[in-house]
Structures are given as C-alpha cells and as structure tokens.
Amino acid sequence: MNERQAVDDLFASTLRDSEVEPPKAVWNGIVQQRGARHRGFLFFRRHWGLLALILLCSGIGTYEVVSRSAGEGKITSNDPVHAVGELPMEPASKKEAARNATVSATGGSMPAASFERVVENDSAFPLKSSSSMSRPSATGGVGKIVHAEKVEASATPDQEAVPLMVSLSPLDRQTIQAALTPQVESVADQSNDRFSAPAPVDAGIEIQHATIAGPIDISDMRIERLRIRPELNDLSIGHATPVARAVPSLPRSRIRWWFGLDVGSYAETRKWHGGDLVIAQALNSTERSHPVWGTGLSGGLVSSKGWGLSLGVMYCASRSEFRHVDHVLAPMDSLVPYVVTFNGEVIASYTETVSVLAPAQEQVAAENRYSTLRIPVEASWQHGMGRWKYRAAIGAAVEYNTLRSGVTLENGVDGSGLSTVDVRSTNMKRNTVLMTGSVALDIGYALTENWQLWAGPSYAIGLFPLSHNGNSPYAMPLRSGIHASLCYMLRVHE
Amino acid sequence: MYALCLRYARNSAEAEDLLQEGFVRVFDKVQGFRMEGSLEGWVRRIMVHTCINHYRKKSVRNEVLGTEHLDERSVGPMAVQNLGEEELLALVRELPDGYRMVFNLFAIEGYDHAEIAAMLGCAESTSRSQLAKARRLLQQRLNELRPTERHERATSGR
C-alpha cells in the first residue's frame, strides 16, 4: 500500500537532492578531529613503548630480587637456630655432643659459661651448598686437652658456611674472656680474607672441641655476634648442656612516615545535575572533555606490612571550550511596500522600514576556566620487589570547584529562553563542594633509601554534592589520567 | 550532505556538528566500503545514521501536540508552486524532533515504517502517528503562509 501523500512528494522532490555548501569551519573541524585521533593513536603507541620499558625494568628487578631471595632461602638453613635443628641428633647424642662441646676448667668448679660464635654468610653473596660440618665427636671425654683444629676457608660454592657453636661449662667467665678475646678479635680482623686460624685455647683449660671436617669458606662471611651467655651458669659439670638456641623474634610492626610532591594530568568530563532540569541539560550539552593539570602535597604513613594511609591537598586547573546556541529576540528590519492606486492606476508608491523583534539564533563560543581544590584521603597497600614497588589505593576527596572565568547559562529575563552570561557580570560562579571517590594503581621506584618516585593511572568520579541547595545545578566530574609523586620517607618508628 | 544534516538538525550549529561527526565516521569506515554500490548512497546512509544516533543520544521526548485544531485541508497547488527550497527546509526544521525525524526518514529518505521503528527504537504505530502529525502540522503551516510572510522569510534569510 502506497502511503505517500502529496506533501511528502512536495518535500521530497525539493529537498532530497538539495545542496547547501557547508561552512569552511566544518572541514577544519573534521581535519582537526582526524588529526587529534591520529595523534592520540601515536601518543598511545608511545605509551606502549614506555609501558614495555617499565615492564622490562620490572622484570629485571624482579629477577634480581628473586634470585637473591633464592640464595637467602638456602642460607636460611644455615641460620644457627635452624641449622643446628636440622642435624639428626638423637636425645642421647645431644647430651654427648653437648658434653663434648663443653670446655671445662681443670678444677671443675668454676661457674659455667657458654658462648657461641655464629658465622653467617653475607646475604649479598649467597653460598649455595649443603652442610659439610660434622657433628661434635662423641668419643672425646671430659678432661681431654684438645686444640681447636685449623679452620680453613675455601671459595668453592658447593661448600657451606655453618654456624660454629661451642658451649663451655663450667669455666670462669673472666678466664674465658681473657683467653678468647684476642682470638676473636683476630678472627674478626681477618674475616674478609682467606685465613687459617689455629685456635689454641691455652689457658690451662681442657677443651673438648667440635671437629670441623672440611674447609669452610669465610671469605664472604662475617662474625655477627659473640656473646657470653650467663644463663647457663647454673649448669653443672659434665651434664648435657644443650645449646640454647636463640628464639627468633618476629619483626615488630614498623611505621614509616612520608611526605611527597604530587603532579597529575587528567582528562575530565563534567555532568550537571540538580536545579532546573532545562539548564542542567543545556549545560551538559556544552560540556566537552578537557584536560586538567594538578599539583599538590601529600603525606602519610606506611606500615611494614604495606598498608598505608595518606592525606593531601591538591590544586587543579582546567580550561574547557564552551559552545552554545542562544535563542534570542533580535531586532529585524523589514521593508513594507505601499502602492496607492486610483482607478487601476498607480498614483503613488513608497516603502517603509519596519523594525520588529524576531526570534534569532546566536552561536556563542567561549573558554571556561575552572579551579578545583581537593583534599584527598587514601588508603593503600603496597608491595616491594627490591627497589621496585607497586601500590593500589582507594580513597575519597572533598572538592571545591569554581568557575574562575568564562560563561554559563541562565534563564533569560525576557522569557526568550536560556542565554549565555559572563560569570564576571553575575554571581553565578557555579561553585560546588562535593565528595569524590578515586582508585589508583602505582608503580614506584626507590631512588635512594629515602626518596621514592611513584607514578600510575588514576580514576576519580563525583559521588555526591555537599553544598547543593536545590536551586542551582552542580557539576559532577569524571576524571581519569596519570599522576606521579616524589616521596621522601622519614626514619622508621617502632 | 550539509543540506541533509540541516533537515535533521534543529539549527545550523547542530547541523555542522552532525556533518563533522558524520564525515569523521565516513573517513574512519571508508576502508570498509566495498565499492559495490554508490559511494554517495553509502555516505548518505552514514549521515542519516549519525543523525539518528544524535537524536537517540539526546533522548528528546517528542512533544505531543493536539491534533484537533489542525487544519485538515490539503496543500493547494499554488501554495506548492510558490514555495522555495529554503522555505520548505525552514518548515521541516520547525517540526518537533520526533516529527522531524520520522518525516525526514519516511517522506524524503524513503524508509518504511518498519525500518523507521527499528532505527528509532520505537513502535511502528508510533512512527505512523508521528508522520501523520508531522504532515498535518506542515499542511497547517503551508496554508498559513501568505506571500507577504514568504517574502519576509526570504528577506530574513530563514
């Protein structure tokens, strides 16, 4: 069924193939928009390169840290606490071992004392080997004079540094100190060299010692602690004296304070709500995505577990293009011809200019400048891999937005609809106080022990207004971009 | 194409935006053009869809006008004869958004109601109703137009 009517054909025949030459500004706009997309693609591609570089550096850093940690993990078994525990000691042999490791005075009535020398590897140069130290001999008896054998170091990586633990009991504390201090100092002085350290304890002391079966590399070792352990004083002679193992203390929660300088570059779009619906919709039609630059200061704390809390203040500035078509009543002149005729003959004619107010459209273009003051509070969690770190943060911010200069829309006083007004000629600054929420993902790099550099993408969205009075519209921002901060870490507080 | 955009837009600025957006889309999709049909028709379809998308984004509620007061007289041949292109274009642009979209798509582009309903996301009956109201409104405006008004319109360039 043909539903077409004459009026359809009238408009179709006239308008279907009509041609109107567009303004040149349209073609310029097309070229600019195409160029912007092209530049955007290139910009994005450059960022891929940067991202690849960051990932490469992160990978190298991770590899270094992981390989270092792996070495540390092996050496951990050499920790005096764990290494001794790993030895397959039977209860009886423990007693004998302890007895064999007992250095007793000839008199046998001196107060007991014990000390331990713990040799650990330097974590920076891990040794990769299993234990080669034999257990203390069970054959030696009390009172047998023995000398410490040669302690020799070798640089082969398949041999392991093990803790040397010696318990002396009963012995006068002062005597042992007087006898051993020079030896220990000598060892300490040579701790970085390959050395052979005969350690005769020749102070009239009968020593039963632990035999070290095999050379030990101490070129990369250091003596960590040497202490008298008076807690073993009450132990009697000849009794099994298990070596008191140090109980590892859990690391206390440490908090580091920091403060930093923040900068950010974002793309922002604003959506108007509230107030007169017509004005809000009209303002939305004028909004375009625009760049925002921000800078500020922040500070906070981060625990040893990685949890952190921060507070800051940031100032953001932006420029936005404003375009609107105002419907106004404009004066319009019309020529009205008058012809005076008499008996069919024209006896006079004249024209008159009549000026009337006619509805007209007026295109307005302006640049709006916005300022935003933000007070963000963020909770974060971070994790480190050597110098590299990553962090996830979520937060909220109180924002104060104001239109510094430019134009806005308001209802015309003459009923002609919405019209554009300069904010300098009116009090309509479109100020808004609102709450925003934000999330961010950062990658950080420790420049030094105290200075850290963080950067990453962030996203913020307006949540709700805090100053809305119901009459005027307010703008809720939607902001995404990248930010960076240079942080200074203060010293640790336990 | 600018004339096409003018028919779908409320004003010249909106038409310029539509033309720009449409041509950017044309340049983006030109590699997908398979040279099987008319390039002009292909560009025209993209322009029409750009205008439809713009209309749907705005979500403009169609104004419901009463029809009881509309003049049912058809357009006289003399009135048609004396109307120019700009005047007809102005009449179309004066239509409410919903009327204008349906009238353009049906009367000028040649789509049927089923296609229009699919494109605009409305019922077929809505498309018919909008078209009928648009026709009546146009006929009323055409009958109201007198030579003097047409002269003024031509003078003012609208």
PDB file of all heavy atoms in Angstrom, chain A residues 3-4 8 10 12 14 16 18 23 29-30 33-34 37 323 325 361, chain B residues 3 11 13 16-17 20 23 28 44 80 85 106-108 113 128 135:
ATOM      1  N   GLU A   3       1.636   4.653   0.951  1.00  0.00           N
ATOM      2  CA  GLU A   3       1.172   5.563   1.987  1.00  0.00           C
ATOM      3  C   GLU A   3       1.612   6.990   1.721  1.00  0.00           C
ATOM      4  O   GLU A   3       1.362   7.874   2.534  1.00  0.00           O
ATOM      5  CB  GLU A   3       1.702   5.104   3.345  1.00  0.00           C
ATOM      6  CG  GLU A   3       1.255   3.718   3.726  1.00  0.00           C
ATOM      7  CD  GLU A   3       1.797   3.307   5.084  1.00  0.00           C
ATOM      8  OE1 GLU A   3       2.126   4.199   5.887  1.00  0.00           O
ATOM      9  OE2 GLU A   3       1.905   2.105   5.324  1.00  0.00           O
ATOM     10  N   ARG A   4       2.280   7.201   0.679  1.00  0.00           N
ATOM     11  CA  ARG A   4       2.810   8.534   0.424  1.00  0.00           C
ATOM     12  C   ARG A   4       1.695   9.486   0.034  1.00  0.00           C
ATOM     13  O   ARG A   4       0.713   9.108  -0.616  1.00  0.00           O
ATOM     14  CB  ARG A   4       3.861   8.492  -0.688  1.00  0.00           C
ATOM     15  CG  ARG A   4       5.094   7.705  -0.314  1.00  0.00           C
ATOM     16  CD  ARG A   4       6.165   7.849  -1.369  1.00  0.00           C
ATOM     17  NE  ARG A   4       6.742   9.181  -1.390  1.00  0.00           N
ATOM     18  CZ  ARG A   4       7.705   9.604  -0.582  1.00  0.00           C
ATOM     19  NH1 ARG A   4       8.196   8.780   0.314  1.00  0.00           N
ATOM     20  NH2 ARG A   4       8.182  10.828  -0.671  1.00  0.00           N
ATOM     21  N   ASP A   8       4.353  14.729   1.050  1.00  0.00           N
ATOM     22  CA  ASP A   8       5.623  14.001   1.077  1.00  0.00           C
ATOM     23  C   ASP A   8       6.397  14.240  -0.214  1.00  0.00           C
ATOM     24  O   ASP A   8       7.614  14.512  -0.195  1.00  0.00           O
ATOM     25  CB  ASP A   8       5.375  12.502   1.251  1.00  0.00           C
ATOM     26  CG  ASP A   8       4.609  12.205   2.528  1.00  0.00           C
ATOM     27  OD1 ASP A   8       4.581  13.088   3.412  1.00  0.00           O
ATOM     28  OD2 ASP A   8       4.048  11.113   2.643  1.00  0.00           O
ATOM     29  N   LEU A  10       6.064  16.639  -2.252  1.00  0.00           N
ATOM     30  CA  LEU A  10       6.476  18.049  -2.358  1.00  0.00           C
ATOM     31  C   LEU A  10       7.833  18.266  -1.689  1.00  0.00           C
ATOM     32  O   LEU A  10       8.764  18.796  -2.298  1.00  0.00           O
ATOM     33  CB  LEU A  10       5.418  18.937  -1.695  1.00  0.00           C
ATOM     34  CG  LEU A  10       5.856  20.359  -1.357  1.00  0.00           C
ATOM     35  CD1 LEU A  10       6.097  21.147  -2.643  1.00  0.00           C
ATOM     36  CD2 LEU A  10       4.816  21.057  -0.508  1.00  0.00           C
ATOM     37  N   ALA A  12       9.956  15.906  -0.707  1.00  0.00           N
ATOM     38  CA  ALA A  12      10.989  15.015  -1.224  1.00  0.00           C
ATOM     39  C   ALA A  12      11.586  15.550  -2.515  1.00  0.00           C
ATOM     40  O   ALA A  12      12.806  15.556  -2.705  1.00  0.00           O
ATOM     41  CB  ALA A  12      10.403  13.620  -1.439  1.00  0.00           C
ATOM     42  N   THR A  14      11.757  18.522  -3.548  1.00  0.00           N
ATOM     43  CA  THR A  14      12.503  19.764  -3.382  1.00  0.00           C
ATOM     44  C   THR A  14      13.769  19.577  -2.547  1.00  0.00           C
ATOM     45  O   THR A  14      14.818  20.137  -2.857  1.00  0.00           O
ATOM     46  CB  THR A  14      11.606  20.822  -2.709  1.00  0.00           C
ATOM     47  OG1 THR A  14      10.381  20.902  -3.418  1.00  0.00           O
ATOM     48  CG2 THR A  14      12.289  22.180  -2.705  1.00  0.00           C
ATOM     49  N   ARG A  16      15.260  16.524  -1.359  1.00  0.00           N
ATOM     50  CA  ARG A  16      16.086  15.307  -1.379  1.00  0.00           C
ATOM     51  C   ARG A  16      17.445  15.554  -2.018  1.00  0.00           C
ATOM     52  O   ARG A  16      18.468  15.085  -1.514  1.00  0.00           O
ATOM     53  CB  ARG A  16      15.358  14.184  -2.114  1.00  0.00           C
ATOM     54  CG  ARG A  16      16.188  12.903  -2.159  1.00  0.00           C
ATOM     55  CD  ARG A  16      15.401  11.721  -2.665  1.00  0.00           C
ATOM     56  NE  ARG A  16      16.273  10.558  -2.820  1.00  0.00           N
ATOM     57  CZ  ARG A  16      16.709   9.799  -1.831  1.00  0.00           C
ATOM     58  NH1 ARG A  16      16.328  10.065  -0.594  1.00  0.00           N
ATOM     59  NH2 ARG A  16      17.506   8.792  -2.056  1.00  0.00           N
ATOM     60  N   SER A  18      18.706  18.596  -2.685  1.00  0.00           N
ATOM     61  CA  SER A  18      19.175  19.976  -2.498  1.00  0.00           C
ATOM     62  C   SER A  18      20.608  19.965  -1.962  1.00  0.00           C
ATOM     63  O   SER A  18      21.026  19.035  -1.265  1.00  0.00           O
ATOM     64  CB  SER A  18      18.260  20.719  -1.532  1.00  0.00           C
ATOM     65  OG  SER A  18      18.366  20.143  -0.256  1.00  0.00           O
ATOM     66  N   PRO A  23      29.922  25.477   5.822  1.00  0.00           N
ATOM     67  CA  PRO A  23      30.971  26.441   6.182  1.00  0.00           C
ATOM     68  C   PRO A  23      32.341  25.772   6.207  1.00  0.00           C
ATOM     69  O   PRO A  23      32.457  24.567   6.460  1.00  0.00           O
ATOM     70  CB  PRO A  23      30.572  26.899   7.584  1.00  0.00           C
ATOM     71  CG  PRO A  23      29.176  26.444   7.782  1.00  0.00           C
ATOM     72  CD  PRO A  23      28.950  25.291   6.889  1.00  0.00           C
ATOM     73  N   GLY A  29      37.218  21.536  11.230  1.00  0.00           N
ATOM     74  CA  GLY A  29      36.921  20.694  12.399  1.00  0.00           C
ATOM     75  C   GLY A  29      37.158  19.226  12.112  1.00  0.00           C
ATOM     76  O   GLY A  29      37.680  18.492  12.952  1.00  0.00           O
ATOM     77  N   ILE A  30      36.774  18.802  10.900  1.00  0.00           N
ATOM     78  CA  ILE A  30      36.996  17.397  10.539  1.00  0.00           C
ATOM     79  C   ILE A  30      38.490  17.089  10.511  1.00  0.00           C
ATOM     80  O   ILE A  30      38.949  16.072  11.047  1.00  0.00           O
ATOM     81  CB  ILE A  30      36.357  17.101   9.171  1.00  0.00           C
ATOM     82  CG1 ILE A  30      34.834  17.202   9.274  1.00  0.00           C
ATOM     83  CG2 ILE A  30      36.763  15.730   8.665  1.00  0.00           C
ATOM     84  CD1 ILE A  30      34.127  17.143   7.940  1.00  0.00           C
ATOM     85  N   GLN A  33      39.778  17.006  14.043  1.00  0.00           N
ATOM     86  CA  GLN A  33      39.348  15.826  14.797  1.00  0.00           C
ATOM     87  C   GLN A  33      40.079  14.578  14.311  1.00  0.00           C
ATOM     88  O   GLN A  33      40.483  13.734  15.114  1.00  0.00           O
ATOM     89  CB  GLN A  33      37.842  15.644  14.643  1.00  0.00           C
ATOM     90  CG  GLN A  33      37.256  14.635  15.616  1.00  0.00           C
ATOM     91  CD  GLN A  33      35.737  14.657  15.622  1.00  0.00           C
ATOM     92  OE1 GLN A  33      35.128  15.603  15.127  1.00  0.00           O
ATOM     93  NE2 GLN A  33      35.140  13.624  16.167  1.00  0.00           N
ATOM     94  N   ARG A  34      40.264  14.482  13.003  1.00  0.00           N
ATOM     95  CA  ARG A  34      41.007  13.348  12.480  1.00  0.00           C
ATOM     96  C   ARG A  34      42.454  13.395  12.954  1.00  0.00           C
ATOM     97  O   ARG A  34      43.028  12.382  13.330  1.00  0.00           O
ATOM     98  CB  ARG A  34      40.976  13.359  10.948  1.00  0.00           C
ATOM     99  CG  ARG A  34      39.607  13.097  10.364  1.00  0.00           C
ATOM    100  CD  ARG A  34      39.319  11.637  10.261  1.00  0.00           C
ATOM    101  NE  ARG A  34      40.312  10.945   9.453  1.00  0.00           N
ATOM    102  CZ  ARG A  34      40.475   9.642   9.439  1.00  0.00           C
ATOM    103  NH1 ARG A  34      39.735   8.890  10.198  1.00  0.00           N
ATOM    104  NH2 ARG A  34      41.387   9.091   8.679  1.00  0.00           N
ATOM    105  N   ARG A  37      42.727  12.345  16.510  1.00  0.00           N
ATOM    106  CA  ARG A  37      42.657  10.888  16.682  1.00  0.00           C
ATOM    107  C   ARG A  37      43.980  10.249  16.299  1.00  0.00           C
ATOM    108  O   ARG A  37      44.450   9.320  16.952  1.00  0.00           O
ATOM    109  CB  ARG A  37      41.544  10.316  15.823  1.00  0.00           C
ATOM    110  CG  ARG A  37      40.169  10.613  16.362  1.00  0.00           C
ATOM    111  CD  ARG A  37      39.136   9.806  15.632  1.00  0.00           C
ATOM    112  NE  ARG A  37      37.816  10.112  16.115  1.00  0.00           N
ATOM    113  CZ  ARG A  37      36.726   9.453  15.746  1.00  0.00           C
ATOM    114  NH1 ARG A  37      36.827   8.480  14.883  1.00  0.00           N
ATOM    115  NH2 ARG A  37      35.549   9.782  16.221  1.00  0.00           N
ATOM    116  N   ARG A 323      30.432  26.001  24.005  1.00  0.00           N
ATOM    117  CA  ARG A 323      29.698  26.358  22.778  1.00  0.00           C
ATOM    118  C   ARG A 323      28.212  26.198  23.038  1.00  0.00           C
ATOM    119  O   ARG A 323      27.768  25.178  23.592  1.00  0.00           O
ATOM    120  CB  ARG A 323      30.133  25.458  21.618  1.00  0.00           C
ATOM    121  CG  ARG A 323      31.499  25.789  21.077  1.00  0.00           C
ATOM    122  CD  ARG A 323      31.898  24.810  20.005  1.00  0.00           C
ATOM    123  NE  ARG A 323      31.003  24.859  18.861  1.00  0.00           N
ATOM    124  CZ  ARG A 323      31.063  24.010  17.836  1.00  0.00           C
ATOM    125  NH1 ARG A 323      31.958  23.075  17.810  1.00  0.00           N
ATOM    126  NH2 ARG A 323      30.221  24.116  16.832  1.00  0.00           N
ATOM    127  N   VAL A 325      24.140  27.603  21.431  1.00  0.00           N
ATOM    128  CA  VAL A 325      23.334  28.416  20.517  1.00  0.00           C
ATOM    129  C   VAL A 325      22.220  29.054  21.335  1.00  0.00           C
ATOM    130  O   VAL A 325      21.331  28.355  21.837  1.00  0.00           O
ATOM    131  CB  VAL A 325      22.763  27.556  19.377  1.00  0.00           C
ATOM    132  CG1 VAL A 325      21.891  28.419  18.478  1.00  0.00           C
ATOM    133  CG2 VAL A 325      23.882  26.931  18.583  1.00  0.00           C
ATOM    134  N   GLN A 361      18.853  33.050  16.310  1.00  0.00           N
ATOM    135  CA  GLN A 361      19.818  32.162  16.964  1.00  0.00           C
ATOM    136  C   GLN A 361      21.192  32.814  16.943  1.00  0.00           C
ATOM    137  O   GLN A 361      21.583  33.400  15.938  1.00  0.00           O
ATOM    138  CB  GLN A 361      19.871  30.813  16.245  1.00  0.00           C
ATOM    139  CG  GLN A 361      18.570  30.048  16.340  1.00  0.00           C
ATOM    140  CD  GLN A 361      18.621  28.768  15.552  1.00  0.00           C
ATOM    141  OE1 GLN A 361      19.562  28.537  14.794  1.00  0.00           O
ATOM    142  NE2 GLN A 361      17.603  27.947  15.715  1.00  0.00           N
TER     143      GLN A 361
ATOM    144  N   ALA B   3      22.974  19.800   3.513  1.00  0.00           N
ATOM    145  CA  ALA B   3      21.525  20.004   3.437  1.00  0.00           C
ATOM    146  C   ALA B   3      20.791  18.887   4.166  1.00  0.00           C
ATOM    147  O   ALA B   3      19.777  19.131   4.842  1.00  0.00           O
ATOM    148  CB  ALA B   3      21.102  20.045   1.973  1.00  0.00           C
ATOM    149  N   ASN B  11      19.185  23.418  14.323  1.00  0.00           N
ATOM    150  CA  ASN B  11      19.776  24.683  13.916  1.00  0.00           C
ATOM    151  C   ASN B  11      21.067  24.416  13.160  1.00  0.00           C
ATOM    152  O   ASN B  11      21.523  23.260  13.050  1.00  0.00           O
ATOM    153  CB  ASN B  11      20.046  25.563  15.137  1.00  0.00           C
ATOM    154  CG  ASN B  11      20.793  24.810  16.224  1.00  0.00           C
ATOM    155  OD1 ASN B  11      21.880  24.305  15.980  1.00  0.00           O
ATOM    156  ND2 ASN B  11      20.188  24.690  17.398  1.00  0.00           N
ATOM    157  N   ALA B  13      24.167  25.211  13.847  1.00  0.00           N
ATOM    158  CA  ALA B  13      25.315  24.733  14.625  1.00  0.00           C
ATOM    159  C   ALA B  13      25.235  23.229  14.842  1.00  0.00           C
ATOM    160  O   ALA B  13      26.237  22.506  14.732  1.00  0.00           O
ATOM    161  CB  ALA B  13      25.363  25.463  15.969  1.00  0.00           C
ATOM    162  N   GLU B  16      26.117  21.511  11.678  1.00  0.00           N
ATOM    163  CA  GLU B  16      27.569  21.472  11.448  1.00  0.00           C
ATOM    164  C   GLU B  16      28.217  20.377  12.276  1.00  0.00           C
ATOM    165  O   GLU B  16      29.117  19.667  11.805  1.00  0.00           O
ATOM    166  CB  GLU B  16      28.168  22.835  11.785  1.00  0.00           C
ATOM    167  CG  GLU B  16      27.773  23.924  10.797  1.00  0.00           C
ATOM    168  CD  GLU B  16      28.222  25.296  11.267  1.00  0.00           C
ATOM    169  OE1 GLU B  16      29.067  25.359  12.178  1.00  0.00           O
ATOM    170  OE2 GLU B  16      27.724  26.290  10.724  1.00  0.00           O
ATOM    171  N   ASP B  17      27.768  20.260  13.516  1.00  0.00           N
ATOM    172  CA  ASP B  17      28.312  19.184  14.357  1.00  0.00           C
ATOM    173  C   ASP B  17      28.014  17.814  13.757  1.00  0.00           C
ATOM    174  O   ASP B  17      28.869  16.917  13.749  1.00  0.00           O
ATOM    175  CB  ASP B  17      27.718  19.274  15.760  1.00  0.00           C
ATOM    176  CG  ASP B  17      28.301  20.435  16.549  1.00  0.00           C
ATOM    177  OD1 ASP B  17      29.338  20.963  16.116  1.00  0.00           O
ATOM    178  OD2 ASP B  17      27.720  20.815  17.580  1.00  0.00           O
ATOM    179  N   GLN B  20      30.204  17.205  10.725  1.00  0.00           N
ATOM    180  CA  GLN B  20      31.582  16.887  11.124  1.00  0.00           C
ATOM    181  C   GLN B  20      31.681  15.467  11.669  1.00  0.00           C
ATOM    182  O   GLN B  20      32.555  14.690  11.274  1.00  0.00           O
ATOM    183  CB  GLN B  20      32.044  17.895  12.172  1.00  0.00           C
ATOM    184  CG  GLN B  20      33.447  17.620  12.695  1.00  0.00           C
ATOM    185  CD  GLN B  20      33.926  18.730  13.601  1.00  0.00           C
ATOM    186  OE1 GLN B  20      33.540  19.880  13.462  1.00  0.00           O
ATOM    187  NE2 GLN B  20      34.775  18.382  14.544  1.00  0.00           N
ATOM    188  N   PHE B  23      31.241  12.907   8.807  1.00  0.00           N
ATOM    189  CA  PHE B  23      32.381  12.754   7.899  1.00  0.00           C
ATOM    190  C   PHE B  23      33.581  12.107   8.588  1.00  0.00           C
ATOM    191  O   PHE B  23      34.337  11.372   7.956  1.00  0.00           O
ATOM    192  CB  PHE B  23      32.762  14.104   7.284  1.00  0.00           C
ATOM    193  CG  PHE B  23      32.127  14.314   5.940  1.00  0.00           C
ATOM    194  CD1 PHE B  23      31.033  15.148   5.793  1.00  0.00           C
ATOM    195  CD2 PHE B  23      32.590  13.649   4.818  1.00  0.00           C
ATOM    196  CE1 PHE B  23      30.427  15.332   4.571  1.00  0.00           C
ATOM    197  CE2 PHE B  23      31.992  13.823   3.582  1.00  0.00           C
ATOM    198  CZ  PHE B  23      30.905  14.665   3.460  1.00  0.00           C
ATOM    199  N   ASP B  28      36.652   7.176   8.870  1.00  0.00           N
ATOM    200  CA  ASP B  28      37.062   6.020   9.666  1.00  0.00           C
ATOM    201  C   ASP B  28      36.673   4.707   9.001  1.00  0.00           C
ATOM    202  O   ASP B  28      37.366   3.701   9.136  1.00  0.00           O
ATOM    203  CB  ASP B  28      36.425   6.094  11.056  1.00  0.00           C
ATOM    204  CG  ASP B  28      37.102   7.137  11.932  1.00  0.00           C
ATOM    205  OD1 ASP B  28      38.202   7.571  11.568  1.00  0.00           O
ATOM    206  OD2 ASP B  28      36.531   7.524  12.970  1.00  0.00           O
ATOM    207  N   ARG B  44      25.557   8.838   2.416  1.00  0.00           N
ATOM    208  CA  ARG B  44      24.266   9.352   2.855  1.00  0.00           C
ATOM    209  C   ARG B  44      23.706   8.498   4.005  1.00  0.00           C
ATOM    210  O   ARG B  44      23.166   9.029   4.973  1.00  0.00           O
ATOM    211  CB  ARG B  44      23.307   9.339   1.659  1.00  0.00           C
ATOM    212  CG  ARG B  44      22.029  10.091   1.888  1.00  0.00           C
ATOM    213  CD  ARG B  44      21.128   9.975   0.676  1.00  0.00           C
ATOM    214  NE  ARG B  44      19.981  10.846   0.809  1.00  0.00           N
ATOM    215  CZ  ARG B  44      19.919  12.087   0.340  1.00  0.00           C
ATOM    216  NH1 ARG B  44      20.937  12.596  -0.313  1.00  0.00           N
ATOM    217  NH2 ARG B  44      18.841  12.812   0.522  1.00  0.00           N
ATOM    218  N   VAL B  80       2.153  25.289  -3.266  1.00  0.00           N
ATOM    219  CA  VAL B  80       3.327  24.465  -3.528  1.00  0.00           C
ATOM    220  C   VAL B  80       4.217  25.114  -4.569  1.00  0.00           C
ATOM    221  O   VAL B  80       5.446  25.148  -4.461  1.00  0.00           O
ATOM    222  CB  VAL B  80       2.875  23.069  -4.003  1.00  0.00           C
ATOM    223  CG1 VAL B  80       4.072  22.241  -4.426  1.00  0.00           C
ATOM    224  CG2 VAL B  80       2.086  22.390  -2.924  1.00  0.00           C
ATOM    225  N   GLU B  85      13.073  26.365  -1.798  1.00  0.00           N
ATOM    226  CA  GLU B  85      13.795  25.319  -1.073  1.00  0.00           C
ATOM    227  C   GLU B  85      14.061  25.716   0.377  1.00  0.00           C
ATOM    228  O   GLU B  85      13.896  24.919   1.301  1.00  0.00           O
ATOM    229  CB  GLU B  85      15.113  25.076  -1.813  1.00  0.00           C
ATOM    230  CG  GLU B  85      15.919  23.930  -1.308  1.00  0.00           C
ATOM    231  CD  GLU B  85      17.160  23.739  -2.154  1.00  0.00           C
ATOM    232  OE1 GLU B  85      17.025  23.651  -3.392  1.00  0.00           O
ATOM    233  OE2 GLU B  85      18.263  23.713  -1.588  1.00  0.00           O
ATOM    234  N   PHE B 106      10.788   9.014   6.365  1.00  0.00           N
ATOM    235  CA  PHE B 106       9.738   8.427   5.524  1.00  0.00           C
ATOM    236  C   PHE B 106       9.583   9.189   4.206  1.00  0.00           C
ATOM    237  O   PHE B 106       9.684   8.599   3.120  1.00  0.00           O
ATOM    238  CB  PHE B 106       8.407   8.432   6.285  1.00  0.00           C
ATOM    239  CG  PHE B 106       7.296   7.761   5.538  1.00  0.00           C
ATOM    240  CD1 PHE B 106       7.057   6.405   5.691  1.00  0.00           C
ATOM    241  CD2 PHE B 106       6.483   8.465   4.661  1.00  0.00           C
ATOM    242  CE1 PHE B 106       6.040   5.777   4.985  1.00  0.00           C
ATOM    243  CE2 PHE B 106       5.478   7.847   3.954  1.00  0.00           C
ATOM    244  CZ  PHE B 106       5.250   6.493   4.120  1.00  0.00           C
ATOM    245  N   ALA B 107       9.358  10.487   4.310  1.00  0.00           N
ATOM    246  CA  ALA B 107       8.990  11.247   3.119  1.00  0.00           C
ATOM    247  C   ALA B 107      10.176  11.499   2.208  1.00  0.00           C
ATOM    248  O   ALA B 107      10.048  11.444   0.984  1.00  0.00           O
ATOM    249  CB  ALA B 107       8.353  12.571   3.537  1.00  0.00           C
ATOM    250  N   ILE B 108      11.332  11.757   2.775  1.00  0.00           N
ATOM    251  CA  ILE B 108      12.463  12.177   1.948  1.00  0.00           C
ATOM    252  C   ILE B 108      13.442  11.038   1.712  1.00  0.00           C
ATOM    253  O   ILE B 108      13.887  10.813   0.586  1.00  0.00           O
ATOM    254  CB  ILE B 108      13.154  13.394   2.595  1.00  0.00           C
ATOM    255  CG1 ILE B 108      12.123  14.512   2.737  1.00  0.00           C
ATOM    256  CG2 ILE B 108      14.349  13.845   1.774  1.00  0.00           C
ATOM    257  CD1 ILE B 108      12.618  15.741   3.423  1.00  0.00           C
ATOM    258  N   HIS B 113       7.776   2.283   7.541  1.00  0.00           N
ATOM    259  CA  HIS B 113       7.584   2.442   8.987  1.00  0.00           C
ATOM    260  C   HIS B 113       8.303   1.365   9.792  1.00  0.00           C
ATOM    261  O   HIS B 113       8.766   1.629  10.907  1.00  0.00           O
ATOM    262  CB  HIS B 113       6.088   2.435   9.302  1.00  0.00           C
ATOM    263  CG  HIS B 113       5.396   3.698   8.879  1.00  0.00           C
ATOM    264  ND1 HIS B 113       5.695   4.929   9.427  1.00  0.00           N
ATOM    265  CD2 HIS B 113       4.444   3.931   7.938  1.00  0.00           C
ATOM    266  CE1 HIS B 113       4.945   5.857   8.856  1.00  0.00           C
ATOM    267  NE2 HIS B 113       4.178   5.292   7.939  1.00  0.00           N
ATOM    268  N   ARG B 128       3.949   5.798  12.528  1.00  0.00           N
ATOM    269  CA  ARG B 128       2.811   6.253  11.717  1.00  0.00           C
ATOM    270  C   ARG B 128       2.163   7.487  12.341  1.00  0.00           C
ATOM    271  O   ARG B 128       1.820   8.457  11.646  1.00  0.00           O
ATOM    272  CB  ARG B 128       1.774   5.130  11.610  1.00  0.00           C
ATOM    273  CG  ARG B 128       2.245   3.938  10.816  1.00  0.00           C
ATOM    274  CD  ARG B 128       1.147   2.872  10.793  1.00  0.00           C
ATOM    275  NE  ARG B 128       1.656   1.615  10.266  1.00  0.00           N
ATOM    276  CZ  ARG B 128       1.782   1.352   8.971  1.00  0.00           C
ATOM    277  NH1 ARG B 128       1.433   2.259   8.087  1.00  0.00           N
ATOM    278  NH2 ARG B 128       2.254   0.196   8.562  1.00  0.00           N
ATOM    279  N   ARG B 135       2.730  15.637   9.072  1.00  0.00           N
ATOM    280  CA  ARG B 135       2.069  16.088   7.848  1.00  0.00           C
ATOM    281  C   ARG B 135       1.040  17.175   8.148  1.00  0.00           C
ATOM    282  O   ARG B 135       0.970  18.196   7.452  1.00  0.00           O
ATOM    283  CB  ARG B 135       1.382  14.910   7.170  1.00  0.00           C
ATOM    284  CG  ARG B 135       2.310  13.997   6.396  1.00  0.00           C
ATOM    285  CD  ARG B 135       1.528  12.787   5.945  1.00  0.00           C
ATOM    286  NE  ARG B 135       2.322  11.857   5.158  1.00  0.00           N
ATOM    287  CZ  ARG B 135       1.990  10.580   5.012  1.00  0.00           C
ATOM    288  NH1 ARG B 135       0.911  10.094   5.621  1.00  0.00           N
ATOM    289  NH2 ARG B 135       2.738   9.808   4.267  1.00  0.00           N
TER     290      ARG B 135
END
